[in-house]
Amino acid sequence: MLAEIKGLNEECGVFAIWGHEKAAEMTYYGLHALQHRGQEGAGIVTTDGEKLNLHKGVGLVNDVFSEAEFSRLKGHAAIGHVRYATQGGGGYENVQPLVFRSQKNSMALAHNGNLVNAHALKGQLEAQGSIFQTTSDTEVIAHLVKRSGHLPIEQAISSALSMIKGAYAFAVLTEDQLFIGLDPRGLRPLSIGRLGDAYVFASETCAFDLIGATYEREVRPGELIAIDEDGLRTSQFTSPLQRTLCSMEYVYFSRPDSDLNELNVHASRKTMGKQLAEEAPVIADVVTGVPDSSISAAIGFSEETGIPYELGLIKNRYVGRTFIQPSQELREQGVKMKLSAVRGIVEGKRVVMVDDSIVRGTTSRRIVRLLKEAGATEVHVRIASPPIQNPCYYGIDTSTKGELIASSNTVEEIREIIGADSLAFLSTEGLEKSIVADRDVNDHGVCQACFTGNYPTEIYPDTVIPAYKD
Ligand code: SF4
């Protein structure tokens, strides 16, 4: 589905590189590949061994960087970030990486995720005299590191990480070291690759493919990696817990050409579609997927049922982004602008419309109507994930509970609201089977908390659900 009309948004993407003479350029290309994870801001920090060089701005990677910036972004190492506007809105000061300068040394920090105890930690730090310049969780991590400034930085980072809880994949760059870390449950994705002698890190492996890097392995839950002129060292800042990688990364967020935890995203979506067909078959003439993220699941559904797959819905690619339109009514018109039903394919046909998820239901209702207006005689909606009934505390905008249509309506009620002839969702067991399959659940388990309400970490009464702009 289209993120900006659906109301589901990834928070960020992280990229880092060490040991490459064109570190800034490689990061720029890496961020291009991660652009789908955040379109509100982008930034790169490099080190030339003596000082950190920063360029960041509000907008798409292409808008923020021009050729002129790269003569200033010198150095053999870099970290980069693309951001979706969360708490505090999309102002320049919240665009990452954030740079903290001090007399002794400087530090740049970029992170993807959400800390469930950020509010409490911020209160403690403020009580001890810290002053915050941004509303980002990233600054909380930086203050915790700086508070242990008497320790070597590796230990200071380790000590900061032992205090924070939630989901995070982060990169810290100093003048002469790069640090990479992942939360104890590996909720957010982060992979390691090699580009010649250089080390690269990215939220998704599609960034490796774009720059010609080869995949090495996943960053392990609770792992802290340090790289400097002596090479790469790895340690555990905490014992790894059972991995609970966000299942929505497979369902919707990640690019189909990425591999997450050694499973290709397109392949996992196809399996979800097949599983869905097994669980909720239907008699129909044609299967269509809602572009772009539902197409793989629709192909899987088609393969399993033998009902031909067709391009019944087309995305109008060059229409302006709908999130700038303020009202619900205009957003719904935006849906119409962004998607077209192909009359020649659906007219007079019983159509299976496969979508990856339903958030508020308004988009599904609109698409069902589009298909019927184009002549579909029946529209059977099949959703390749379970009903989203709970908010996410880990950095994904799934809207508040009250806005989630499945939190207060049965499947039959949702069917009626969206005007479909039938509606079925993939089961939580089916989703887990599609991703974990016969692999070890300790290494390949997934979070399904927005479907089940079983959060893999503590959630505190004052845990802040990121307040996304909408
Ligand atoms: S609650 Fe849902 S969106 Fe959030 S990390 Fe878990 S699976 Fe992903």
Side-chain angles (χ1 to χ4, degrees):
M1 251 326 296
L2 311 161
E4 59 272 27
I5 58 174
K6 181 162 221 145
L8 269 176
N9 289 287
E10 173 62 75
E11 193 174 329
C12 306
V14 174
F15 185 92
I17 184 164
W18 179 275
H20 197 284
E21 58 175 0
K22 293 203 175 297
E25 283 90 335
M26 291 300 126
T27 305
Y28 168 78
Y29 289 121
L31 293 184
H32 256 288
L34 301 176
Q35 184 76 84
H36 59 289
R37 300 181 71 88
Q39 297 94 39
E40 308 299 317
I44 295 175
V45 173
T46 63
T47 176
D48 52 17
E50 290 180 0
K51 66 174 193 318
L52 298 182
N53 310 292
L54 164 71
H55 183 78
K56 67 176 187 174
V58 174
L60 299 171
V61 176
N62 251 353
D63 302 332
V64 173
F65 292 94
S66 65
E67 217 174 328
E69 269 86 55
F70 291 96
S71 56
R72 227 173 33 77
L73 290 171
K74 290 194 170 58
H76 62 287
I79 63 173
H81 193 265
V82 285
R83 179 169 195 273
Y84 180 76
T86 54
Q87 310 101 299
Y92 173 86
E93 69 282 0
N94 281 322
V95 176
Q96 299 186 35
L98 299 182
V99 175
F100 303 88
R101 301 191 193 274
S102 66
Q103 280 182 331
K104 257 170 73 185
N105 47 33
S106 302
M107 175 174 84
L109 219 157
H111 110 282
N112 163 220
N114 192 50
L115 309 185
V116 293
N117 62 340
H119 189 72
L121 288 171
K122 206 169 171 183
Q124 286 168 22
L125 286 162
E126 279 175 349
Q128 290 161 9
S130 294
I131 296 170
F132 286 82
Q133 293 173 28
T134 72
T135 51
S136 152
D137 285 1
T138 316
E139 201 178 351
V140 175
I141 304 175
H143 278 273
L144 289 171
V145 174
K146 284 286 173 195
R147 209 174 61 158
S148 305
H150 54 288
L151 298 172
I153 184 152
E154 201 165 331
Q155 278 178 41
I157 292 174
S158 227
S159 146
L161 296 182
S162 65
M163 299 180 68
I164 61 179
K165 297 194 189 314
Y168 51 89
F170 77 89
V172 171
L173 187 67
T174 68
E175 285 85 352
D176 51 11
Q177 283 178 299
L178 171 66
F179 298 94
I180 301 291
L182 188 63
D183 67 76
R185 290 195 177 272
L187 271 147
R188 301 259 68 88
L190 191 60
S191 301
I192 308 177
R194 294 301 297 264
L195 180 59
D197 291 333
Y199 289 98
V200 284
F201 302 84
S203 295
E204 284 184 47
T205 58
C206 61
F208 297 162
D209 298 331
L210 195 88
I211 60 169
T214 50
Y215 170 83
E216 283 252 308
R217 69 170 173 89
E218 300 298 298
V219 177
R220 287 185 282 271
E223 183 177 14
L224 177 61
I225 295 169
I227 312 180
D228 55 24
E229 59 181 19
D230 296 329
L232 180 146
R233 297 180 299 286
T234 171
S235 61
Q236 289 289 140
F237 64 86
T238 181
S239 317
L241 300 168
Q242 179 189 319
R243 190 185 274 267
T244 52
L245 176 59
C246 170
S247 57
M248 284 302 287
E249 291 280 356
Y250 290 100
V251 169
Y252 172 71
F253 294 116
S254 293
R255 267 178 40 167
D257 51 335
S258 287
D259 292 346
L260 298 176
N261 212 1
E262 288 158 9
L263 176 62
N264 173 255
V265 171
H266 163 73
S268 74
R269 286 180 188 161
K270 255 183 89 172
T271 314
M272 288 169 211
K274 287 181 181 218
Q275 185 69 31
L276 182 59
E278 236 178 70
E279 292 180 11
V282 60
I283 295 168
D285 304 308
V286 59
V287 176
T288 193
V290 181
D292 293 319
S293 55
S294 310
I295 288 174
S296 307
I299 293 170
F301 194 98
S302 161
E303 280 186 11
E304 187 64 25
T305 55
I307 304 169
Y309 170 79
E310 293 285 359
L311 282 179
L313 289 163
I314 298 285
K315 191 167 161 182
N316 300 319
R317 294 196 181 272
Y318 300 104
V319 173
R321 297 161 70 203
T322 54
F323 72 82
I324 57 169
Q325 298 169 354
S327 68
Q328 181 69 18
E329 189 193 345
L330 284 174
R331 265 206 304 276
E332 289 195 32
Q333 283 178 23
V335 177
K336 190 166 186 180
M337 285 158 60
K338 294 201 98 176
L339 283 178
S340 299
V342 184
R343 180 172 289 276
I345 300 287
V346 303
E347 192 165 28
K349 304 268 176 54
R350 296 165 297 180
V351 177
V352 181
M353 178 198 114
V354 178
D355 201 354
D356 47 68
S357 52
I358 293 185
V359 182
R360 298 185 185 98
T362 47
T363 308
S364 308
R365 191 177 64 214
R366 184 68 212 141
I367 299 170
V368 169
R369 207 186 308 155
L370 272 181
L371 289 166
K372 290 210 165 173
E373 282 169 4
T377 54
E378 293 172 18
V379 177
H380 301 275
V381 176
R382 292 293 177 273
I383 305 297
S385 65
I388 301 176
Q389 295 177 316
N390 307 282
C392 174
Y393 294 96
Y394 305 124
I396 302 295
D397 171 16
T398 49
S399 304
T400 58
K401 197 170 169 94
E403 292 170 314
L404 296 168
I405 193 170
S407 73
S408 54
N409 292 283
T410 63
V411 173
E412 175 53 22
E413 285 165 348
I414 300 170
R415 183 202 65 72
E416 214 176 309
I417 293 167
I418 66 173
D421 292 278
S422 75
L423 168 67
F425 291 82
L426 183 62
S427 66
T428 51
E429 297 76 22
L431 178 60
E432 180 159 339
K433 211 164 133 188
S434 307
I435 301 170
V436 181
D438 50 7
R439 303 185 298 169
D440 182 351
V441 74
N442 279 316
D443 296 329
H444 299 279
V446 285
C447 173
Q448 293 205 46
C450 48
F451 311 122
T452 62
N454 298 327
Y455 293 95
T457 71
E458 306 95 309
I459 299 295
Y460 300 83
D462 56 0
T463 294
V464 177
I465 299 173
Y468 296 83
K469 57 187 255 181
D470 195 16

